[in-house]
């Protein structure tokens, strides 16, 4: 037989509290390990268009890393389209949203030929020397999706997408932000 003494309610409650605290610390430490597994240079390269599966996986798992990535996008984007907060910055008709940023506008128009398709039209009026190649749209939790821009002609790029495509869904949400780089 063993002489193990069962702790009283007070000691049991204290042990549970300590276990909870240690679990939270362990979770924070493992989260920071995931964050540090992606070097700043790799994240910066990814924000500037490089492909990197390790960075993509880490972004999917770590909110803090996604926020850093989103900040990098904002600082390095040629054009930025903020959340559609005011009625003047977003016009909505038939569930299709149009919004504007400094030197650019993104609007969606339903296709007349195909009812399940939408034209995403990116209009650039700025005199930037860099020709953008990518549209990045981020939701409120900094989950960002990249979409290649077709060749820009006379300051306009058009993307044809299905109505239920991620691009249309994201741009239809007034809380998303778009970065054109």
């Amino acid at each position: 037989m063993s002489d193990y003494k069962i702790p009283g309610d007070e000691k049991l409650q204290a042990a549970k509290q300590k276990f909870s605290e240690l679990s939270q610390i362990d979770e924070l430490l493992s989260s920071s390990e995931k964050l540090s597994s992606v070097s700043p240079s790799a994240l910066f390269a990814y924000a500037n268009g490089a492909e990197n599966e390790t960075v993509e996986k880490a972004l999917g798992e770590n909110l803090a890393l996604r926020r850093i990535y989103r900040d990098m996008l904002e600082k390095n984007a040629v054009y930025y389209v903020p959340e559609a907060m005011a009625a003047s910055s977003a016009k909505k008709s038939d569930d299709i949203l149009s919004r504007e940023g400094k030197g650019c506008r993104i609007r969606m128009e339903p296709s007349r030929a195909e009812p399940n398709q939408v034209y995403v039209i990116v209009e650039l009026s700025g005199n930037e020397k860099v020709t953008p190649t990518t549209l990045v749209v981020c939701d409120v939790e900094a989950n960002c999706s990249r979409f290649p821009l077709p060749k820009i002609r006379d300051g306009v790029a058009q993307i044809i997408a299905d109505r239920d495509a991620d691009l249309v869904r994201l741009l239809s949400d007034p809380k998303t932000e778009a970065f054109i780089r």
Side-chain angles (χ1 to χ4, degrees):
M1 257 209 222
S2 71
D3 291 331
Y4 180 75
K5 196 171 186 178
I6 298 175
D9 287 343
E10 191 174 298
K11 283 189 175 187
L12 190 57
Q13 189 60 30
K16 286 180 181 180
Q17 179 65 29
K18 194 63 164 175
F19 178 80
S20 176
E21 290 170 3
L22 290 171
S23 293
Q24 288 175 353
I25 289 170
D26 186 48
E27 188 176 325
L28 286 172
L29 289 175
S30 68
S31 174
S32 66
E33 287 170 11
K34 290 177 190 172
L35 180 62
S36 65
S37 70
V38 174
S39 70
S41 60
L43 186 61
F44 182 77
Y46 186 80
N48 284 292
E51 297 293 325
N52 187 323
E53 289 181 25
T54 303
V55 172
E56 284 182 26
K57 184 176 183 209
L59 286 170
E61 297 171 351
N62 191 302
L63 177 61
L65 188 64
R66 288 196 306 269
R67 287 181 176 156
I68 294 168
Y69 169 67
R70 189 225 150 281
D71 288 344
M72 284 183 175
L73 285 172
E74 184 174 3
K75 288 175 178 48
N76 293 297
V78 179
Y79 298 96
Y80 169 63
V81 181
E83 287 182 20
M85 297 184 91
S88 61
S89 66
K91 298 168 191 128
K92 194 169 185 178
S93 64
D94 200 55
D95 288 327
I96 303 294
L97 186 73
S98 171
R99 60 172 86 186
E100 295 183 24
K102 185 178 180 185
C104 66
R105 180 176 164 201
I106 301 174
R107 62 188 170 91
M108 293 186 283
E109 292 185 9
S111 170
R112 292 184 185 129
E114 293 291 329
N116 290 333
Q117 290 185 334
V118 173
Y119 288 97
V120 177
I121 302 165
V122 178
E123 299 171 316
L124 308 174
S125 59
N127 294 326
E128 300 296 329
K129 293 180 181 173
V130 178
T131 303
T133 59
T134 307
L135 171 65
V136 182
V137 186
C138 300
D139 67 15
V140 294
E141 292 184 3
N143 291 302
C144 300
S145 299
R146 301 195 284 188
F147 304 94
L149 284 175
K151 187 173 181 176
I152 297 172
R153 299 181 197 279
D154 298 323
V156 177
Q158 289 187 15
I159 302 169
I160 300 173
D162 289 336
R163 269 191 188 270
D164 59 351
D166 284 341
L167 177 60
V168 175
R169 179 186 53 78
L170 286 166
L171 288 174
S172 295
D173 181 352
K175 298 267 185 211
T176 60
E177 300 172 292
F179 304 93
I180 301 170
R181 48 163 241 31

